[in-house]
Amino acid sequence: MDDQNARLYADLWAHVEPESSRRLLLAALDAFADRGFEAATTRDISRRAGMSPAAVYVHYRSKVEMLGEIMRIGHESVLAEARAAMAPCDTPADRTAAFVMAFSSWHARFATLGQVTAHELRALPPERFGEILALRQATERLVADEIRAGAANGDLHVDDLQGTVRAILSLGVDSARWYAPQRGGDPESIGRLHADLVLRMLR
């Protein structure tokens, strides 16, 4: 991970101590995004962190434990960001738009993390899988409840709530796949565009 991305992720990882544990998680994230979880090795992770292979096991029992921490941090972060964006809004339609903007812009801003959280869930053991699945379901409920409320008051229209929520989430998650600063735009503009598209779709 280059210095620019490391600075971008600094706040998300700030609570991870000591600093060497934080470096290993960032290196693991880089390796998982680059090679996939199965192909990445602890030797590769330690090399990316500038540490010895044995250092991994001083801080983490396995690369699965590192993946679990990465997944938890990512899912908690996007959920918190969406909640914060929705909090000042007065109507279900406005809260839906705020959710979409926050969700899509987060996935563009943290594209590397977004790719890993989207594709590596099945690599987790059952206990960590359940923890992350619960966070995903909480995120889905957050927007589903607002769309349902907006349909009830007549501001929004939806025939298939589950399918609509899935489409909205897919729109945001896919931002992590294609977004790069050199392609133009920025995460916030992507979020605004997606929010506008979703409101048009629901109205």
Side-chain angles (χ1 to χ4, degrees):
M1 182 171 290
D2 59 30
D3 290 343
Q4 183 177 357
N5 270 328
R7 287 192 296 271
L8 174 64
Y9 284 82
D11 288 343
L12 288 185
W13 259 251
H15 65 285
V16 178
E17 294 290 348
E19 187 271 341
S20 50
S21 294
R22 187 161 59 248
R23 280 168 54 202
L24 282 167
L25 273 192
L26 286 168
L29 171 63
D30 200 33
F32 297 156
D34 187 28
R35 305 185 62 191
F37 174 77
E38 293 297 336
T41 64
T42 54
R43 182 175 294 276
D44 181 31
I45 292 167
S46 63
R47 178 186 60 78
R48 291 171 189 252
M51 300 166 70
S52 71
V56 172
Y57 299 103
V58 173
H59 300 277
Y60 299 100
R61 288 170 293 183
S62 65
K63 69 174 185 174
V64 171
E65 184 179 8
M66 287 188 278
L67 177 64
E69 283 301 288
I70 289 167
M71 297 285 275
R72 180 187 61 78
I73 289 168
H75 282 84
E76 287 180 348
S77 172
V78 70
L79 179 57
E81 194 159 311
R83 283 174 170 160
M86 296 165 75
C89 301
D90 296 324
T91 68
D94 287 344
R95 285 190 290 273
T96 298
F99 173 92
V100 174
M101 181 172 177
F103 191 80
S104 288
S105 62
W106 186 95
H107 279 86
R109 188 179 312 112
F110 298 107
T112 304
L113 181 55
Q115 292 170 37
V116 172
T117 57
H119 299 300
E120 300 293 357
L121 180 63
R122 297 291 173 181
L124 293 174
E127 64 276 9
R128 295 308 298 265
F129 180 93
E131 175 190 1
I132 302 307
L133 184 61
L135 289 168
R136 287 192 176 198
Q137 290 170 340
T139 304
E140 292 172 10
R141 285 196 302 272
L142 200 61
V143 66
D145 288 348
E146 297 303 333
I147 295 172
R148 188 182 295 110
N153 72 14
D155 285 346
L156 303 177
H157 175 79
V158 60
D159 292 321
D160 179 351
L161 178 62
Q162 184 178 19
T164 300
V165 169
R166 188 178 298 119
I168 289 170
L169 296 177
S170 296
L171 185 66
V173 168
D174 199 49
S175 301
R177 178 187 61 81
W178 62 262
Y179 176 73
Q182 61 268 28
R183 292 182 177 175
D186 56 72
E188 287 66 35
S189 65
I190 291 165
R192 286 192 296 271
L193 172 62
H194 287 184
D196 180 62
L197 291 173
V198 166
L199 285 185
R200 289 172 184 237
M201 177 175 69
L202 293 176
R203 283 172 169 162

